Amino acid sequence: MELLRPKESFTPELIKKFGKKNVIVVQFAKGSQSIRKWYRDWEPAKENESKAEPYLYDSLMIKIKKAIRKKKILTVTFIWMQGERDARKSRGAVYEKSLLGLYKQLSADLGRKDINFVIGRLSDCGITKKGWPDWMQIRNIQVKVAESNSRFGWIDTDDLNTGINRKGKKIKDGIHMTADGYVVMGERFAHKAIELIKNNKQ
């Protein structure tokens, strides 16, 4: 998500649909981070693991509050692309609870019960890697959560990680997307967000 540039495709699609004055996009992302850096009540799968340390979430909230200050917000959509670190660290057992908890945490902090939630499912990168045991489990959890609520949805990223990356290098089934892949990802996130906003009008 850190390499996704909203201005390339995500924001333009939203502006095209709703108008520039009606769209606020706030991005905060840092690569290779566990959900424990976002969810306050995260509990480790093993006793000797680190505790919750939600400084990334706190940083996001600072940016959000600044962006929406003195503005009337009609609808909020939360875009989530994360899970690689938890899949590689065998944390699938606590991922579903954490993901749903994160959504509830955001809803409570913003004082809203109507937040839309779009999840980018992990790509196919780690499916066959022996050292990443929970990759399929977390992919499945992401889809399960996304299909559990009419305000939730998910996008596929399996076809976005083969080609030329942001550094000009060829990649095949990479953990990150290609340069073009990030553009398409932004479009998919936007289209799913628009769909949820349309289907859940107040």
Side-chain angles (χ1 to χ4, degrees):
M1 196 65 168
E2 188 177 22
L3 296 175
L4 178 70
R5 300 169 183 168
K7 291 182 180 180
E8 281 184 331
S9 56
F10 179 72
T11 304
E13 290 298 309
L14 295 175
I15 289 175
K16 189 188 305 181
K17 178 66 178 180
F18 301 115
K20 188 174 182 178
K21 294 182 178 180
N22 298 316
V23 174
I24 298 173
V25 175
V26 179
Q27 181 189 28
F28 189 85
K30 188 173 178 62
S32 301
Q33 300 298 315
S34 168
I35 197 170
R36 76 179 184 86
K37 302 291 182 69
W38 295 87
Y39 179 42
R40 295 190 193 104
D41 295 328
W42 183 84
E43 296 179 355
K46 302 173 184 177
E47 290 184 5
N48 61 344
E49 282 198 295
S50 301
K51 304 297 182 182
E53 192 181 358
Y55 69 90
L56 295 178
Y57 176 83
D58 294 339
S59 298
L60 171 66
M61 291 305 297
I62 289 171
K63 291 188 70 174
I64 288 175
K65 289 178 180 179
K66 182 178 180 180
I68 66 175
R69 186 171 177 269
K70 295 184 178 181
K71 293 183 172 65
K72 182 179 180 180
I73 306 300
L74 298 180
T75 182
V76 176
T77 300
F78 183 44
I79 308 296
W80 182 251
M81 185 73 227
Q82 184 276 341
E84 293 92 345
R85 173 67 61 176
D86 295 289
R88 294 161 70 180
K89 292 292 184 178
S90 301
R91 293 170 178 163
V94 297
Y95 194 78
E96 182 175 349
K97 179 181 178 182
S98 301
L99 193 55
L100 289 168
L102 174 61
Y103 175 80
K104 292 177 182 177
Q105 175 180 293
L106 180 65
S107 297
D109 287 348
L110 293 181
R112 306 186 70 110
K113 296 181 179 179
D114 60 349
I115 297 177
N116 301 315
F117 189 17
V118 183
I119 300 168
R121 188 183 68 176
L122 288 182
S123 73
D124 54 359
C125 171
I127 292 177
T128 60
K129 287 186 171 60
K130 294 180 180 179
W132 299 357
D134 291 359
W135 198 271
M136 277 302 300
Q137 182 181 7
I138 287 183
R139 275 169 58 98
N140 292 337
I141 287 170
Q142 290 172 333
V143 173
K144 178 184 176 183
V145 169
E147 294 180 348
S148 70
N149 189 310
S150 63
R151 287 195 173 275
F152 296 0
W154 67 279
I155 67 161
D156 187 9
T157 65
D158 285 355
D159 59 331
L160 305 180
N161 58 349
T162 295
I164 307 299
N165 68 12
R166 294 272 195 206
K167 296 180 179 180
K169 296 181 179 180
K170 290 183 179 181
I171 59 173
K172 179 175 175 55
D173 296 330
I175 192 168
H176 297 300
M177 310 306 154
T178 65
D180 290 338
Y182 279 110
V183 175
V184 175
M185 179 192 287
E187 292 174 347
R188 289 180 183 175
F189 273 133
H191 294 162
K192 182 57 68 172
I194 291 168
E195 177 186 321
L196 293 177
I197 293 168
K198 179 181 177 181
N199 292 343
N200 292 285
K201 283 185 178 180
Q202 299 294 328

